[in-house]
Amino acid sequence: MSSLSRELVFLILQFLEEEKFKESVHRLEQESGFFFNMKYFEEKALAGEWDEVERYLSGFTKVDDNRYSMKIFFEIRKQKYLEALDRNDRAKAVEILAKDLKIFSTFNEELYKEITQLLTLENFRENEQLSKYGDTKSARSIMLLELKKLIEANPLFRDKLVFPTLKASRLRTLINQSLNWQHQLCKNPRQNPDIKTLFTDHTCSPPNGARAPTPVNLPVAALAKPSNYAPLGAHGGPFQQAAAAPNANALAGWMVNANPSSSVQSAAIAASSLTVQPSQASVLKRPRTPVNALGITDYTGTEHEQLIKRLRSAQSVDEVTYPAPQLHSWSVDELPRTVACTLHQGSTVTSMDFHPSHHTILAVGCANGEMTLWDVGLRERLVSKPFKIWDMATCSGQFQALIVKDSSISVSRVSWSPDGNLIGVAFSKHLIHLYANQGLHDLRQHLEIDAHAGGVNDLAFSHPNKQLCIITCGDDKLIKVWDLAGRKLFSFEGHEAPVYSVCPHQKENIQFIFSTAVDGKIKAWLYDTVGSRVDYDAPGQWCTTMLYSADGSRLFSCGTSKDGDSFLVEWNESEGAIKRSYSGFRKKSAGIVQFDTTKNHFLAVGEDNQIKFWDMDNTNVLASTDAEGGLPSLPRLRFNKEGSLLVVNTSNNGFKVLANADGLRSLRAIEARSYDTSRATNEMKVSSSAVAVNNNLVISKVDFMESSPARPTSIHNEVEPMRKSIEKPRGLDDVSDKTKPWELTEIVDRVQCRVVTMPDGMGPGNKVARLLYTNYGTGVLALGSDGVQKLWKWHRSEQNPNGKATASVVPQHWQPNSGLLMTNDVPDNVEEKFPCIALSKNDSYVMSACGGKVSLFNMMTFKVMTTFMPPPPTSTFLAFHPLDNNIIAIGMEDSTIHIYNVRVDEVKTKLKGHQKRITGLAFSVDLDILVSAGADAQLFFWSSDTWDRKKMIPIQLPSGKAPVGDTRVQFYSDQVRLLVCHETQLALYDAYKTELLQQWVPQDVLSAPLTCASYSLASQLVYATFADGNIGVFDADSLKLRCRIAPSAYLSQSLSNSQTAYPLVVTAHPQEPHQLAVGLTDGAVKVIEPSETEGKWGVTVPVDIGLQNGRTVSSSTAS
């Protein structure tokens, strides 16, 4: 249905409401699914009209759509059940139990049993959990409060809870306008036309003489009747405006109510190679409902909804969404509020920013112009860069005169680039500095720009057209965009006051920048010369900062007025209106409050000598802390990317590190690793030789080397280092005369680790071909070489209170009550099968194939929802597009890649280039690329926007090795580095530069061919399996081996001695960095963890000592 047709439905709804067609109004609301009338829903629920309540809901969601919907229907049916019990209608209660509540037993059998047991009680209030159940009326009211929260949180109701703002009798007005227009076209218009019908166009009968046209007005009895619908507010209109009638000055809907009197801004552009895609401007011309820019999160994507709706209409089978184990209940304990340490900087801290992937590395800017790099885990100052002018000759005369007159300068902003390779520093006078991160102890001067006349107030990084750029703003009222060579690409003019902050962002393929000025104006810019698309007033109309949530779906701003009133608000992007305002500030502030967001759920503000936290969905303060005192009146603060750490500046020229439970564990682990490393390093004796003892990789004498500058890419002893680790380098004077070396951790006995074998494995002779953890970490999914998939799940218990996968508890082989197996189509005439599998991000369905058609399975019922892509050619690898669950990249046996749209059941395009079958696919959201790997040992890089081929590179095979075998690819957490696994090697590539960074080849105790490899959580480790049964644990950044898990540690004695079984596949737990699962050639699946006393796999290999895996370094150049 087109946008105008949807708007017509709203007009009809308004007309029916005004004319008191009550039943028709609600029937149309339900049938169209465009507007959910919460008032009507409440009336029916309070009246106990449960059939009507569910019928009305059915127009917007089904019980199996997502976890929110399931919870909504459960609460309604539970209330209906309790009411039947309360009036002693046992027969009705049994009917409700069997008919309405039975469906929920599939995913929570214990709860269903508990509900059933209520039948045995004389009064269900004897149940402890129901002891506070009051009368029916109060119970319904309490239930409604819960339902409203669930409905507001449910993405299927997004933008459907508020009716658009319409003038009274809008449909009548449009009809009158149409009649006026028809009357104007009459050849002989009468002065008082007689309108008798709307079924045909109006024409006046010929008179004796022509008369002037007269406006036509229908008699409107209800013209003055006000609409009972609420005006458009927090949620905005749920439907996009038609692209055919664009507003040329709209940015994602913000110009709907933009200030019409604002002056036309201009933008001066410098000559550059940066161009704007034609699609950008056109897309910006229509308002958009906010979408997740970085990924489809669980049960929030409209693509998921469309896919399910399409499948529902196309399939006769019942399908339901596999729910999350439970609605995630955000806890105050997840906030980092415990002071882990206090560090002294030596000058007032003005800005802080955590490294995007090293979660304890912190850049700090100071009031004296100094920029410092800290490892807050080690509590060490890694690098300090006092302010100095790098090249005075290139600076403007204005700056030179200013600095001579007053040499004081402070840092206004420090910021890491998205890949962590650059640090930008903005100063209070004219300049920005850009440092290249050559290793966390080695920052190189990369670029100095005299960017603005006056202070540079903010700095940020952005990727317009895949080109990394720096965005700055300053006292000269300008926003400027620079490339990494220092060339000015854009200069945006239009603010009438100094620009205070910038917030670059991307929605789908649209790149734009929000800016705020000290007069409270908010503007938005595309990378073009048209000027600002938005002119809005920020709350308080003074200094404001804008930030997006981590997933890019929600926009917030925080600032202070000149009178000292502080404001924290969430914006509705589709309307440019404030969605909610958060309360809890003191009445007056002496400066400007600062804020940050984390985990897509929490906000933190520094105010009143403390840190205040909000839940994004609640306007009241959730918690606060004074961090044990010592904070300034308006603290500056910053979360790390995991949300486990929070830094806040102190009044005495330092900062404090606050942590939650996860953060404290990480800090303790780093401290322990640092102790182990420093002890081993300090006990090494300097010598000129190194020997390996009895193949156990123990080094007795080593050459110690100072850290050296970054060198061109080369392979060192079959390992190519890219950058130094975060441990602080030690000089020769720090090395003691003791000779206790670092040792490779070897796990050779079962007592050294924890292992659990999945019950009812794949069976003898049936290899485990593919293996995945569910995204919630509560289950393991395996695909056998016979095409059958099996799922094992862990449940909550006293031994396992969080219900996550663990090697300490045996899981359940999970099947639906129907006893169905997820069995793929496996043709008998296929010589070689290529099992492949992909799991949707919300665990609701799994897609797989094994020589035949691709099947889409429901993860709760195990039923086949649809099949597609019958051979030939055979599918060999599957990957969901990270931003659209309807788009699937399918690697084929004939070496092509099909980009398939599930929703419309068609192949959008075919990618050709490989010479052999496809064996690996990986998407990078940040780089907008798809990387493919084939049995031809080649890597292809494709644009995920246009699907054009960008580059091809062969993997560097050892001498004498033929390009055969599977090549797998997986992106590092920074979405730039790429892990490549081939039977001959592990390798790391920079996908942005398409360059090899590091390479490791089988050697010594790990000399067998590799079978598979996988990153751990947050890409801290790499797990690799080998054809002799060994498992290697490598540091992800350096590919240094830190631990070997021998077959004897996890296989039975007979298997480990005979070597008949070995792991074909390995996967890492999505939330536990030291847990892995392996699938074996004998059909067994095992989950492996370190012993509880150790808690981790070995220690980090010492760095800067000239050694790799216990062998002396020798080098050979990589081509």
Side-chain angles (χ1 to χ4, degrees):
M1 182 178 287
S2 70
S3 174
L4 291 178
S5 297
R6 285 192 287 265
E7 291 180 1
L8 179 58
V9 172
F10 284 113
L11 295 176
I12 295 171
L13 284 171
Q14 184 197 42
F15 174 80
L16 293 173
E17 177 74 15
E18 291 173 341
E19 297 300 316
K20 306 299 183 183
F21 293 106
K22 294 296 185 182
E23 291 186 12
S24 300
V25 169
H26 304 310
R27 185 65 181 267
L28 181 55
E29 289 168 350
Q30 182 256 333
E31 288 190 347
S32 67
F34 292 164
F35 172 62
F36 185 83
N37 193 324
M38 186 70 78
K39 182 179 178 182
Y40 175 72
F41 178 76
E42 290 178 4
E43 288 175 357
K44 294 303 176 182
L46 288 173
E49 298 180 28
W50 305 119
D51 291 342
E52 173 60 16
V53 166
E54 290 209 19
R55 187 195 67 79
Y56 188 71
L57 267 176
S58 67
F60 303 88
T61 183
K62 300 291 186 289
V63 67
D64 54 7
D65 275 344
N66 60 40
R67 51 184 176 159
Y68 300 105
S69 300
M70 191 166 286
K71 179 72 171 170
I72 291 168
F73 280 95
F74 175 75
E75 290 296 327
I76 293 170
R77 294 175 183 182
K78 182 186 74 174
Q79 179 63 30
K80 183 165 62 167
Y81 175 66
L82 293 177
E83 290 183 14
L85 289 176
D86 204 23
R87 61 177 181 264
N88 292 319
D89 190 348
R90 300 281 166 164
K92 185 64 175 178
V94 171
E95 179 187 340
I96 295 169
L97 190 67
K99 180 181 176 182
D100 297 333
L101 290 171
K102 181 67 175 177
I103 187 174
F104 303 106
S105 66
T106 312
F107 69 95
N108 197 331
E109 192 170 355
E110 293 299 320
L111 178 61
Y112 183 74
K113 289 179 180 178
E114 186 176 354
I115 292 175
T116 304
Q117 289 171 358
L118 296 179
L119 286 167
T120 65
L121 302 177
E122 194 68 32
N123 186 338
F124 64 79
R125 293 172 180 82
E126 296 173 21
N127 182 292
E128 183 180 352
Q129 297 182 35
L130 297 173
S131 60
K132 295 183 180 181
Y133 185 95
D135 58 17
T136 298
K137 183 177 180 181
S138 62
R140 289 175 181 174
S141 298
I142 293 171
M143 176 202 67
L144 265 176
L145 292 175
E146 178 69 14
L147 291 182
K148 288 178 70 174
K149 292 179 182 178
L150 290 168
I151 289 170
E152 290 171 357
N154 194 327
L156 296 180
F157 290 84
R158 185 171 298 155
D159 298 330
K160 297 184 180 182
L161 300 178
V162 179
F163 199 82
T165 300
L166 300 175
K167 292 183 178 180
S169 304
R170 178 61 181 162
L171 184 58
R172 290 180 179 276
T173 302
L174 290 175
I175 292 172
N176 283 335
Q177 291 172 350
S178 172
L179 292 172
N180 278 326
W181 175 74
Q182 294 174 30
H183 188 55
Q184 294 282 350
L185 297 180
C186 288
K187 295 182 179 179
N188 303 294
R190 293 192 174 191
Q191 187 163 354
N192 296 302
D194 183 17
I195 308 295
K196 294 182 178 180
T197 181
L198 297 178
F199 294 162
T200 59
D201 288 347
H202 161 70
T203 56
C204 292
S205 57
N208 292 330
R211 293 177 175 85
T214 304
V216 178
N217 285 290
L218 270 176
V220 183
L223 188 60
K225 293 179 182 178
S227 171
N228 291 329
Y229 291 122
L232 182 61
H235 294 273
F239 307 103
Q240 297 175 6
Q241 186 175 335
N247 178 347
N249 291 321
L251 175 74
W254 279 60
M255 285 300 290
V256 173
N257 298 309
N259 182 359
S261 63
S262 61
S263 58
V264 178
Q265 290 86 17
S266 62
I269 180 170
S272 76
S273 59
L274 185 67
T275 58
V276 179
Q277 298 178 1
S279 61
Q280 285 192 350
S282 62
V283 176
L284 278 167
K285 291 175 182 176
R286 57 184 185 273
R288 287 187 176 273
T289 303
V291 296
N292 288 335
L294 297 180
I296 304 300
T297 58
D298 53 332
Y299 302 106
T300 59
T302 54
E303 293 84 358
H304 169 72
E305 300 160 22
Q306 291 166 342
L307 171 61
I308 293 300
K309 286 179 180 178
R310 170 187 174 269
L311 294 170
R312 182 179 291 124
S313 62
Q315 303 297 321
S316 60
V317 299
D318 295 330
E319 79 278 351
V320 290
T321 301
Y322 182 62
Q326 63 173 8
L327 280 172
H328 184 72
S329 55
W330 295 99
S331 167
V332 177
D333 295 336
E334 297 185 48
L335 294 170
R337 296 186 296 160
T338 303
V339 176
C341 63
T342 302
L343 300 173
H344 185 66
Q345 175 66 39
S347 178
T348 301
V349 173
T350 56
S351 180
M352 299 170 288
D353 194 29
F354 275 103
H355 191 282
S357 55
H358 290 295
H359 300 300
T360 61
I361 302 303
L362 178 71
V364 177
C366 302
N368 63 357
E370 181 182 40
M371 193 281 294
T372 305
L373 212 56
W374 289 84
D375 186 333
V376 299
L378 299 175
R379 306 183 186 184
E380 290 186 1
R381 192 190 305 251
L382 303 177
V383 178
S384 184
K385 296 290 184 182
F387 173 75
K388 66 176 181 179
I389 301 168
W390 297 350
D391 188 356
M392 180 67 85
T394 61
C395 297
S396 66
Q398 183 184 4
F399 172 71
Q400 295 182 33
L402 182 64
I403 205 70
V404 169
K405 183 178 179 181
D406 179 8
S407 61
S408 64
I409 196 166
S410 65
V411 173
S412 54
R413 184 80 159 91
V414 292
S415 180
W416 287 94
S417 64
D419 58 8
N421 290 332
L422 298 169
I423 303 177
V425 186
F427 295 97
S428 58
K429 294 175 182 174
H430 284 247
L431 299 184
I432 66 168
H433 283 171
L434 203 61
Y435 289 95
N437 179 22
Q438 301 291 339
L440 295 176
H441 302 286
D442 188 7
L443 296 182
R444 301 293 181 83
Q445 297 178 3
H446 178 76
L447 182 65
E448 180 180 62
I449 303 175
D450 189 337
H452 293 270
V456 183
N457 297 324
D458 201 4
L459 176 148
F461 290 90
S462 184
H463 266 103
N465 290 345
K466 316 301 184 297
Q467 179 180 353
L468 183 61
C469 296
I470 310 120
I471 302 168
T472 62
C473 65
D475 289 342
D476 55 7
K477 309 175 186 177
L478 299 177
I479 301 105
K480 298 182 181 181
V481 182
W482 314 84
D483 67 12
L484 297 187
R487 292 175 298 181
K488 183 170 64 178
L489 304 177
F490 294 93
S491 180
F492 298 121
E493 302 174 5
H495 276 293
E496 298 176 358
V499 185
Y500 179 72
S501 71
V502 290
C503 176
H505 194 59
Q506 176 177 349
K507 285 287 186 183
E508 298 179 345
N509 63 335
I510 311 303
Q511 299 267 2
F512 56 91
I513 307 166
F514 280 117
S515 61
T516 68
V518 298
D519 60 358
K521 291 295 184 183
I522 298 175
K523 295 183 184 293
W525 318 80
L526 288 177
Y527 295 86
D528 59 22
T529 61
V530 176
S532 170
R533 264 54 173 204
V534 161
D535 185 2
Y536 268 79
D537 291 326
Q541 298 187 4
W542 196 38
C543 297
T544 295
T545 304
M546 305 185 80
L547 287 176
Y548 275 91
S549 57
D551 62 6
S553 65
R554 302 175 71 172
L555 177 63
F556 302 88
S557 72
C558 181
T560 307
S561 70
K562 291 181 180 179
D563 296 329
D565 297 317
S566 296
F567 301 88
L568 176 64
V569 302
E570 180 178 4
W571 291 87
N572 184 322
E573 286 181 287
S574 64
E575 290 297 321
I578 292 174
K579 185 173 184 178
R580 60 168 57 87
S581 296
Y582 299 88
S583 60
F585 292 100
R586 71 175 185 173
K587 290 188 176 180
K588 299 294 178 183
S589 296
I592 304 165
V593 295
Q594 307 292 324
F595 85 119
D596 200 6
T597 73
T598 187
K599 290 188 174 181
N600 301 314
H601 201 85
F602 296 115
L603 301 164
V605 175
E607 194 235 11
D608 199 15
N609 303 96
Q610 58 184 320
I611 304 167
K612 297 180 180 179
F613 300 94
W614 282 264
D615 182 314
M616 289 181 178
D617 298 320
N618 193 317
T619 59
N620 297 318
V621 174
L622 175 66
S624 63
T625 180
D626 65 356
E628 299 177 1
L631 302 186
S633 60
L634 296 172
R636 297 177 181 273
L637 48 83
R638 192 72 169 169
F639 287 103
N640 70 350
K641 298 302 181 286
E642 291 181 322
S644 59
L645 300 179
L646 174 67
V647 288
V648 57
N649 67 324
T650 61
S651 300
N652 58 350
N653 299 339
F655 59 92
K656 295 188 178 188
V657 181
L658 283 68
N660 60 15
D662 291 338
L664 290 172
R665 281 193 294 269
S666 298
L667 293 176
R668 283 195 292 269
I670 291 171
E671 289 172 2
R673 186 168 70 235
S674 173
Y675 172 75
D676 293 339
T677 303
S678 60
R679 182 179 65 179
T681 304
N682 286 324
E683 290 174 350
M684 292 180 185
K685 184 175 181 180
V686 178
S687 178
S688 59
S689 63
V691 294
V693 181
N694 297 328
N695 278 334
N696 62 0
L697 299 182
V698 178
I699 309 307
S700 58
K701 296 181 180 180
V702 302
D703 285 328
F704 188 90
M705 299 172 62
E706 286 280 8
S707 61
S708 58
R711 291 165 293 208
T713 301
S714 59
I715 300 177
H716 299 287
N717 194 26
E718 295 114 357
V719 184
E720 180 193 340
M722 180 183 70
R723 61 176 63 177
K724 307 169 190 67
S725 80
I726 61 176
E727 280 77 21
K728 188 175 181 179
R730 296 173 173 82
L732 291 171
D733 296 336
D734 297 323
V735 183
S736 71
D737 292 330
K738 298 180 182 179
T739 58
K740 186 174 182 180
W742 168 85
E743 297 182 13
L744 171 71
T745 301
E746 302 239 61
I747 309 295
V748 297
D749 196 285
R750 290 191 78 101
V751 299
Q752 295 177 276
C753 62
R754 290 175 288 156
V755 181
V756 64
T757 303
M758 304 299 102
D760 303 321
M762 308 305 286
N766 184 18
K767 301 176 182 178
V768 181
R770 294 291 183 267
L771 190 65
L772 299 170
Y773 276 99
T774 59
N775 292 287
Y776 295 104
T778 58
V780 171
L781 179 66
L783 172 61
S785 56
D786 62 352
V788 176
Q789 294 166 119
K790 290 192 175 183
L791 174 66
W792 294 271
K793 290 171 61 177
W794 281 258
H795 296 287
R796 294 180 184 274
S797 64
E798 291 184 7
Q799 296 79 18
N800 186 27
N802 62 12
K804 297 295 174 67
T806 173
S808 300
V809 176
V810 178
Q812 172 195 1
H813 175 215
W814 195 88
Q815 283 183 276
N817 294 335
S818 63
L820 280 177
L821 290 174
M822 287 189 283
T823 305
N824 277 283
D825 169 42
V826 184
D828 296 330
N829 58 349
V830 175
E831 294 183 6
E832 189 173 4
K833 300 170 235 165
F834 302 100
C836 48
I837 189 170
L839 182 64
S840 66
K841 291 187 180 299
N842 47 30
D843 291 344
S844 60
Y845 48 90
V846 62
M847 201 167 290
S848 57
C850 190
K853 292 180 287 188
V854 178
S855 299
L856 182 69
F857 294 92
N858 184 289
M859 280 284 281
M860 194 167 98
T861 64
F862 285 9
K863 292 181 179 179
V864 177
M865 298 165 70
T866 188
T867 59
F868 50 90
M869 301 294 291
T874 300
S875 303
T876 59
F877 203 92
L878 303 170
F880 281 103
H881 192 292
L883 297 182
D884 188 344
N885 271 348
N886 291 315
I887 303 299
I888 307 164
I890 306 177
M892 310 300 284
E893 186 182 12
D894 66 356
S895 78
T896 62
I897 302 164
H898 292 197
I899 306 302
Y900 179 76
N901 189 315
V902 181
R903 190 187 331 139
V904 297
D905 191 20
E906 69 177 16
V907 176
K908 292 179 61 178
T909 188
K910 294 182 182 180
L911 311 181
K912 299 180 180 179
H914 283 280
Q915 303 302 312
K916 296 182 180 179
R917 62 183 169 85
I918 305 301
T919 60
L921 296 167
F923 283 96
S924 169
V925 176
D926 288 357
L927 299 181
D928 290 329
I929 61 172
L930 168 67
V931 178
S932 61
D936 52 6
Q938 294 180 338
L939 302 177
F940 278 76
F941 296 78
W942 314 85
S943 166
S944 57
D945 289 334
T946 63
W947 304 112
D948 295 329
R949 186 168 81 185
K950 299 167 74 74
K951 194 168 184 179
M952 183 280 289
I953 54 175
I955 66 172
Q956 297 186 8
L957 296 172
S959 177
K961 294 288 185 180
V964 295
D966 289 0
T967 304
R968 304 286 170 79
V969 287
Q970 183 182 1
F971 269 102
Y972 188 87
S973 59
D974 65 5
Q975 292 280 291
V976 175
R977 280 172 282 181
L978 181 75
L979 175 66
V980 177
C981 176
H982 185 262
E983 64 181 40
T984 64
Q985 64 188 276
L986 289 174
L988 290 181
Y989 285 80
D990 184 319
Y992 181 69
K993 300 177 181 177
T994 60
E995 293 177 355
L996 175 65
L997 301 174
Q998 296 162 347
Q999 189 183 54
W1000 181 93
V1001 299
Q1003 57 192 275
D1004 300 320
V1005 290
L1006 296 179
S1007 57
L1010 285 125
T1011 59
C1012 192
S1014 176
Y1015 275 126
S1016 72
L1017 168 68
S1019 304
Q1020 299 176 30
L1021 304 170
V1022 172
Y1023 297 116
T1025 53
F1026 295 81
D1028 60 0
N1030 278 301
I1031 301 172
V1033 184
F1034 298 80
D1035 279 317
D1037 287 330
S1038 61
L1039 289 188
K1040 294 179 180 179
L1041 179 65
R1042 62 188 285 169
C1043 178
R1044 178 180 76 95
I1045 306 172
S1048 56
Y1050 69 95
L1051 295 178
S1052 64
Q1053 189 67 33
S1054 59
L1055 286 176
S1056 62
N1057 290 336
S1058 67
Q1059 288 295 304
T1060 56
Y1062 61 89
L1064 272 180
V1065 285
V1066 62
T1067 185
H1069 193 282
Q1071 298 171 17
E1072 297 293 336
H1074 293 280
Q1075 184 185 130
L1076 65 145
V1078 293
L1080 307 181
T1081 53
D1082 66 351
V1085 176
K1086 296 175 182 287
V1087 170
I1088 308 173
E1089 290 184 279
S1091 65
E1092 291 185 348
T1093 55
E1094 288 296 327
K1096 60 183 179 181
W1097 299 114
V1099 298
T1100 304
V1101 183
V1103 297
D1104 295 334
I1105 60 175
L1107 292 175
Q1108 189 66 57
N1109 293 343
R1111 297 174 60 181
T1112 311
V1113 168
S1114 61
S1115 64
S1116 62
T1117 304
S1119 58

